[in-house]
Amino acid sequence: MAWPLSCTLSLFTLILLQSTPSPVTAQNSSNISVGRSLTAINGSSWLSPLGDFAFGFHQLPNKANLFLFAIWYAKIPDPIVWHANDGNPVPQGSSVKITADTGLVLTDPQGNNLWNTSNELRVDGGRVSYGFMNDTGNFALKGSSNSIPVWQSFDHPTDTLLPGQSLDIDGMINSRLSETNYTMGRFQYHLTTDGNMELSTRDISTGYTYSGYYISDAANPGQTQRYVYNESGYMYILRKNGSMYNMLPDGYTPTEDQHQRLVLSSDGILIWYSSSKISISDGWSRFQVAPENICKELAVRAAQNLGVGVCGSNSMCILGDNNKHTCTCPQGYSLTDPNVQYDGCKPDFNLVDCEDYAERTMKGEYSIVQILNTDFNFNDYERVDSRNEDDCKNSCLKDCFCAGASFELSGKDVGCWKKKAPLLNGVTDGFIGRNFWLKVRNVNKSNDPLNPNVTFPPMTRKSKMTTPTKVLLGGSVSVNLLLLLAIGFGVFFIYHKNQLKESNESQRKTLSEYNHVHYFNYQELNEATNGFKEELGRGAFGVVYKGMVNGGGPSICVAVKKLDRISADTDKEFKTEVNVIGQTHHKNLVQLVGFCKEGDQRLLVYEYMSNGSLADYLFGDTRPSWIDRVQIAQGTVTGLLYLHEECSTQIIHCDIKPQNILLDEYHIARISDFGLAKLLVLNQTHTNTGIRGTKGYVAPEWFRNKPITVKVDVYSFGVLLLEIICCQKSVRIVEENAEILTDWTFDCYRSDKLDQLVNDDMEALKDMIRLKRFVMVALWCIQEDPSLRPTMRTVTQMLAGLAEVPNNPPCSTSFSVTIQN
Ligand SMILES: *[C@@H]1O[C@H](CO)[C@@H](O)[C@H](O)[C@H]1NC(C)=O
Ligand SMILES: *[C@@H]1O[C@H](CO)[C@@H](O)[C@H](O)[C@H]1NC(C)=O
Ligand SMILES: *[C@@H]1O[C@H](CO)[C@@H](O)[C@H](O)[C@H]1NC(C)=O
Ligand SMILES: *[C@@H]1O[C@H](CO)[C@@H](O)[C@H](O)[C@H]1NC(C)=O
Ligand SMILES: *[C@@H]1O[C@H](CO)[C@@H](O)[C@H](O)[C@H]1NC(C)=O
Ligand SMILES: *[C@@H]1O[C@H](CO)[C@@H](O)[C@H](O)[C@H]1NC(C)=O
Ligand SMILES: *[C@@H]1O[C@H](CO)[C@@H](O)[C@H](O)[C@H]1NC(C)=O
């Protein structure tokens, strides 16, 4: 028994939110002779004889022009089991060739070498004569002798082990950086010289490895040969005397009729997946091998050998669903690098500032707040022997070096433990009887010109930038775009602050109520848009103008929305909504950058989306490619799922339609106008009759006095999905008759004539399984009875092919009555 006893065998179906286009140009081939090549286009690949595995270019989700040179399961959605080029994707038009001397050679579209196997070839295997994609998932280059491969992917594992693969001493697999970034990440699983399998963290920049947070019980120095995952699925450590140390879960016997793999996830968890070969649609089952609680294991380990835990300084590790951990910053702190969750947090104020500290503390500049269920371990510099919690809090507050204190009334760590900065190894996990008190600075900086009382949008925050002033004084030029943006806003803001007049005093007070977005005054936006000159579009809420924000830094292109249907008495709601909208951050949403509220004027400032709206894209002169459309549908659904389930305040969009889906420079779908429906609804006297939304996309319950739920968005998404599939508007007039897309689709579906929907789109027709799946999902979404419609989460899974789409969606009687709006 090698696996932890406490490790319960809980198998559950893995939910994979991303999906991948199936290879369009896959070729079944056994021997791939020297001289053959593949070009990175449409996911081209060579398949193994039974078609289980594909070797070639795997298109990255949401990245139409980037491909990973990889091996993946060709029949089951997604998982990549091996990748080349250190996980760096290559552009469309790159190619790979099999050569006799160098083996595999990957080149960019200009023919420059990107990666090759020249240094990895086994001399005793001879010159390469052909390649072979085996049904085991191993790609081998064979020489003429045909015995030992000259090179094989199994000898160069990435983050996955497959049956048939083994690791020598010091051999390892490395996690990738994130779900979507395949470059080497922070965790590794390796066979140590003393014969243990060990999970450990590594420092990404230096490659230094810290000691393990999970270690098997198999140490047998000098006697260990290798770690074996044999073709029947047995896992063991093989000893020199031929004995085996079992690494399989207790009581588990592998079977031949399943695909299986062992993966070190990007969050440092070792997971064993299996999937029946017979019913592939069941998807993957997941079993967590180790560790049990990565937050706690790592906090303990890190404290022993000076690592910074799993989350970095000042950050708190929280275990969530599927034992995935997240790192969060405590109140008054924010991510050092807003794009990297585990790089730690920085205080939003100068923490150790002992100048006039006592005096400033007296005036109430700092306070002590409780952080529930959390402790930061092993960073105490003083223990105050007090059983009085208030004494503990005061002691920390009065001490300019104290960052926080942990107080325990009874137990072995009784007393008040003062912690110095930075706080380390933070774990949030029900510490009973222990309270953590954190020092924060009170936000009353209205008379401190160096500290604007509106914080920057989180997306522009950058490490080493505690205040905008610092950046200005530093005057660094070689900073990346994000920092430039931040400086831009910073300069802009300070400039703006100095211009504030007495009369704006009351205005200023209210600003601190907005936490995450930037405040603009009307004059600034008037100038930014050149007097509201260039109109980008008109919607239910008013007109959108293009603008340039330029405050000393580089100009940033923005879209300024002038709200014209919001009256002044929705003042409070406006604040609430701006806050809610400002706190949403997702790659499939248009980001709110700032706002203006002056007199009757209400304006919102958004990121500018260079590729216009989905409506123009879908219904324009040229039909977008099928793959593009598939990705846009998946992007939209991911954004909606976030609005419905993942942001702190649930947001029902109420007006999903192609005009409200914008495309950024990479043609990624970004939902706009979310969060605004509520304002309009609030603004209407008869809420239940105030129909939001747009003709053709509105769910029936709007007309029926039924409660409005997230299912209205599901309905509108269904209509949108049909439009994306067919490249046709939901309602179109053909010879004076209105042709309703939903009815027509249902007829085509029922009479099995899906080809008519896509009108000779060969790409879509070749992808018939997906096409049918998409149509069925759409038909379920537009069910009249909201309870029959799937949730956005289910829609996501069904579109990705990870959940079964129930057969025979009932006909949703067309209620396409004229809508009086
Ligand atoms: C592949 O090449 C090997 C070695 O040349 C040969 O023995 C085998 O028959 C070939 N297989 C096919 C299907 O051509
Ligand atoms: C690949 O995609 C391009 C552009 O969408 C298309 O012209 C071409 O026919 C496709 N190739 C194959 C083999 O499907
Ligand atoms: C193979 O890659 C190495 C660098 O890793 C490079 O120096 C060499 O030129 C490449 N060989 C070919 C044939 O491109
Ligand atoms: C494929 O893998 C199996 C199992 O390792 C091996 O027996 C077989 O020889 C391989 N096929 C080729 C053509 O290398
Ligand atoms: C992956 O992450 C690395 C390191 O942050 C970065 O340099 C690289 O561009 C990322 N790759 C992709 C495809 O995002
Ligand atoms: C894998 O190991 C098990 C247990 O030692 C053994 O029974 C089985 O025959 C092995 N399978 C292969 C293909 O070597
Ligand atoms: C903020 O500071 C000013 C000046 O020091 C003071 O008059 C005011 O009462 C403070 N406001 C709060 C809410 O502490």
Side-chain angles (χ1 to χ4, degrees):
M1 212 295 299
W3 298 29
L5 255 176
S6 42
C7 204
T8 47
L9 189 71
S10 63
L11 290 166
F12 45 91
T13 307
L14 165 72
I15 293 157
L16 266 169
L17 290 183
Q18 78 200 52
S19 81
T20 9
S22 48
V24 185
T25 58
Q27 310 163 11
N28 256 78
S29 38
S30 35
N31 287 358
I32 307 151
S33 51
V34 160
R36 302 244 337 247
S37 64
L38 273 182
T39 302
I41 186 164
N42 300 357
S44 56
S45 60
W46 288 312
L47 292 180
S48 61
L50 295 177
D52 282 343
F53 285 94
F55 178 67
F57 292 98
H58 190 274
Q59 194 160 13
L60 290 185
N62 296 332
K63 298 234 167 68
N65 298 318
L66 286 180
F67 298 82
L68 197 64
F69 182 54
I71 296 174
W72 65 92
Y73 289 95
K75 291 180 181 166
I76 320 174
D78 206 36
I80 287 181
V81 296
W82 179 87
H83 58 257
N85 199 23
D86 298 329
N88 294 307
V90 301
Q92 183 162 328
S94 302
S95 66
V96 69
K97 190 172 182 176
I98 301 182
T99 66
D101 301 327
T102 321
L104 293 165
V105 181
L106 181 65
T107 51
D108 69 10
Q110 288 73 41
N112 302 312
N113 175 65
L114 291 170
W115 172 87
N116 64 54
T117 52
S118 69
N119 293 331
E120 296 170 353
L121 297 184
R122 287 163 67 134
V123 187
D124 55 355
R127 278 162 60 92
V128 176
S129 55
Y130 66 99
F132 184 81
M133 181 66 242
N134 203 321
D135 274 309
T136 54
N138 185 23
F139 182 85
L141 294 171
K142 301 275 187 100
S144 42
S145 72
N146 206 18
S147 50
I148 336 162
V150 186
W151 181 92
Q152 56 181 350
S153 60
F154 269 15
D155 289 341
H156 305 276
T158 51
D159 63 354
T160 302
L161 289 176
L162 293 173
Q165 218 163 349
S166 61
L167 293 176
D168 291 330
I169 284 180
D170 285 334
M172 64 179 78
I173 56 176
N174 289 286
S175 72
R176 50 177 112 144
L177 193 60
S178 69
E179 283 298 314
T180 50
N181 188 327
Y182 290 80
T183 60
M184 205 189 279
R186 300 179 295 142
F187 304 96
Q188 69 182 33
Y189 184 51
H190 74 288
L191 179 59
T192 63
T193 29
D194 61 5
N196 267 322
M197 287 308 294
E198 183 171 304
L199 280 172
S200 46
T201 41
R202 55 185 283 282
D203 183 283
I204 288 181
S205 50
T206 62
Y208 177 78
T209 313
Y210 299 103
S211 76
Y213 56 93
Y214 160 80
I215 304 175
S216 70
D217 251 344
N220 200 342
Q223 287 306 307
T224 303
Q225 211 175 352
R226 61 178 182 275
Y227 171 82
V228 178
Y229 188 6
N230 85 7
E231 266 149 39
S232 330
Y234 286 84
M235 273 183 249
Y236 50 87
I237 295 172
L238 184 65
R239 302 264 160 79
K240 281 183 178 150
N241 64 7
S243 68
M244 293 179 262
Y245 182 88
N246 183 27
M247 293 290 285
L248 276 178
D250 236 6
Y252 173 76
T253 317
T255 54
E256 299 271 348
D257 58 358
Q258 60 187 4
H259 287 292
Q260 46 171 289
R261 61 199 162 101
L262 185 70
V263 180
L264 179 56
S265 78
S266 57
D267 337 74
I269 300 175
L270 194 62
I271 304 167
W272 179 78
Y273 292 96
S274 66
S275 169
S276 161
K277 283 184 182 167
I278 297 145
S279 53
I280 284 166
S281 57
D282 290 352
W284 292 99
S285 299
R286 176 190 197 274
F287 171 71
Q288 176 165 344
V289 179
E292 222 182 315
N293 180 336
I294 192 168
C295 293
K296 281 188 171 169
E297 302 284 352
L298 268 171
V300 172
R301 294 285 167 183
Q304 287 164 358
N305 67 107
L306 300 178
V308 285
V310 68
C311 287
S313 307
N314 298 321
S315 184
M316 308 179 292
C317 184
I318 301 170
L319 216 56
D321 289 350
N322 271 0
N323 276 346
K324 270 184 167 316
H325 67 276
T326 39
C327 301
T328 47
C329 298
Q331 175 183 348
Y333 286 68
S334 52
L335 288 177
T336 322
D337 179 340
N339 299 315
V340 188
Q341 202 197 57
Y342 50 79
D343 245 9
C345 310
K346 62 181 173 58
D348 296 333
F349 57 97
N350 193 351
L351 183 58
V352 184
D353 176 7
C354 296
E355 191 93 14
D356 301 326
Y357 181 82
E359 194 185 333
R360 287 185 292 124
T361 309
M362 285 276 287
K363 283 188 182 158
E365 189 169 324
Y366 298 94
S367 53
I368 289 270
V369 295
Q370 186 173 4
I371 309 286
L372 290 172
N373 300 331
T374 299
D375 202 5
F376 290 88
N377 288 293
F378 309 101
N379 203 28
D380 325 286
Y381 67 95
E382 185 184 340
R383 175 168 173 260
V384 182
D385 190 10
S386 162
R387 312 234 158 175
N388 182 322
E389 196 154 13
D390 283 335
D391 286 350
C392 180
K393 286 155 64 180
N394 274 329
S395 169
C396 181
L397 191 57
K398 283 187 184 144
D399 180 348
C400 91
F401 292 106
C402 182
S406 156
F407 180 79
E408 194 163 328
L409 197 54
S410 59
K412 71 179 178 17
D413 294 329
V414 64
C416 172
W417 303 83
K418 283 160 74 177
K419 317 260 176 187
K420 60 178 184 276
L423 298 163
L424 296 176
N425 307 318
V427 179
T428 298
D429 193 358
F431 290 91
I432 314 286
R434 190 184 296 179
N435 293 331
F436 191 83
W437 295 94
L438 180 78
K439 187 195 282 177
V440 293
R441 184 164 166 189
N442 290 331
V443 193
N444 178 9
K445 306 167 193 167
S446 57
N447 42 13
D448 180 354
L450 302 183
N451 282 301
N453 46 12
V454 177
T455 52
F456 297 117
M459 63 169 196
T460 58
R461 282 188 195 174
K462 195 65 195 166
S463 56
K464 297 178 190 69
M465 193 190 73
T466 41
T467 68
T469 344
K470 266 204 182 144
V471 177
L472 288 180
L473 297 176
S476 161
V477 194
S478 60
V479 276
N480 63 28
L481 180 70
L482 272 180
L483 191 47
L484 278 173
L485 269 171
I487 295 173
F489 272 112
V491 175
F492 180 77
F493 194 86
I494 288 169
Y495 171 78
H496 159 74
K497 285 234 41 119
N498 293 341
Q499 302 252 310
L500 279 179
K501 301 189 187 76
E502 294 286 297
S503 61
N504 273 355
E505 200 60 39
S506 64
Q507 181 81 72
R508 269 200 277 167
K509 269 187 199 136
T510 63
L511 295 188
S512 55
E513 294 164 36
Y514 303 86
N515 285 327
H516 294 278
V517 282
H518 188 84
Y519 180 76
F520 294 89
N521 69 33
Y522 188 77
Q523 185 52 31
E524 283 158 3
L525 291 182
N526 193 18
E527 279 162 25
T529 55
N530 210 351
F532 298 100
K533 212 167 176 187
E534 189 179 344
E535 201 176 304
L536 290 172
R538 272 165 194 272
F541 302 95
V543 188
V544 187
Y545 301 91
K546 188 171 177 178
M548 298 293 276
V549 187
N550 182 344
S555 301
I556 308 151
C557 215
V558 290
V560 180
K561 185 177 292 259
K562 228 175 160 181
L563 304 177
D564 58 7
R565 289 173 63 182
I566 313 268
S567 69
D569 54 66
T570 53
D571 208 37
K572 184 136 176 288
E573 289 81 9
F574 183 72
K575 279 174 209 163
T576 318
E577 287 314 299
V578 166
N579 253 327
V580 169
I581 299 168
Q583 279 167 19
T584 53
H585 299 281
H586 190 273
K587 66 177 192 301
N588 296 111
L589 300 180
V590 177
Q591 180 70 45
L592 182 72
V593 177
F595 72 100
C596 166
K597 179 181 87 72
E598 204 172 294
D600 284 346
Q601 301 290 353
R602 302 280 182 277
L603 297 97
L604 295 175
V605 182
Y606 290 99
E607 284 176 284
Y608 174 73
M609 294 290 122
S610 55
N611 275 314
S613 81
L614 178 59
D616 298 338
Y617 191 55
L618 279 184
F619 312 132
D621 295 337
T622 49
R623 177 169 58 191
S625 79
W626 172 243
I627 275 302
D628 262 11
R629 274 142 60 206
V630 166
Q631 286 177 352
I632 286 168
Q634 282 166 340
T636 308
V637 84
T638 316
L640 271 174
L641 174 64
Y642 172 85
L643 291 177
H644 287 181
E645 294 186 13
E646 288 162 8
C647 57
S648 50
T649 314
Q650 183 184 62
I651 296 177
I652 307 180
H653 190 296
C654 294
D655 200 9
I656 287 293
K657 57 177 177 180
Q659 287 77 7
N660 282 338
I661 312 294
L662 304 184
L663 300 175
D664 69 12
E665 55 182 318
Y666 307 109
H667 273 106
I668 289 174
R670 310 269 295 253
I671 301 172
S672 76
D673 270 9
F674 53 89
L676 297 185
K678 207 165 165 190
L679 279 180
L680 224 63
V681 172
L682 286 164
N683 196 14
Q684 273 152 348
T685 32
H686 307 291
T687 313
N688 50 2
T689 58
I691 292 176
R692 289 288 345 107
T694 305
K695 180 176 166 173
Y697 303 88
V698 248
E701 52 267 37
W702 283 111
F703 310 102
R704 304 198 176 144
N705 249 339
K706 294 235 179 84
I708 299 306
T709 66
V710 287
K711 292 291 182 72
V712 302
D713 285 350
V714 175
Y715 184 94
S716 308
F717 175 77
V719 180
L720 177 78
L721 182 57
L722 292 179
E723 294 184 313
I724 293 176
I725 294 169
C726 307
C727 288
Q728 274 192 27
K729 292 185 182 161
S730 61
V731 181
R732 58 173 191 164
I733 308 297
V734 180
E735 292 158 4
E736 296 187 0
N737 293 319
E739 200 177 275
I740 309 295
L741 182 61
T742 50
D743 296 351
W744 179 55
T745 321
F746 188 80
D747 292 343
C748 289
Y749 168 75
R750 201 170 34 191
S751 54
D752 216 4
K753 290 184 183 145
L754 292 185
D755 51 321
Q756 294 188 356
L757 292 178
V758 292
N759 192 16
D760 296 335
D761 186 339
M762 283 317 289
E763 250 192 303
L765 291 177
K766 277 188 190 161
D767 198 10
M768 186 50 88
I769 294 175
R770 192 204 307 260
L771 173 62
K772 182 163 182 201
R773 193 165 71 221
F774 272 39
V775 170
M776 282 165 67
V777 171
L779 293 176
W780 279 109
C781 289
I782 56 170
Q783 290 301 308
E784 237 180 303
D785 177 356
S787 67
L788 286 180
R789 294 175 212 151
T791 61
M792 233 45 211
R793 184 170 293 281
T794 314
V795 171
T796 316
Q797 290 162 9
M798 292 194 301
L799 288 188
L802 295 165
E804 197 82 42
V805 188
N807 267 321
N808 303 323
C811 175
S812 177
T813 41
S814 168
F815 69 98
S816 316
V817 287
T818 339
I819 296 150
Q820 296 89 22
N821 203 345

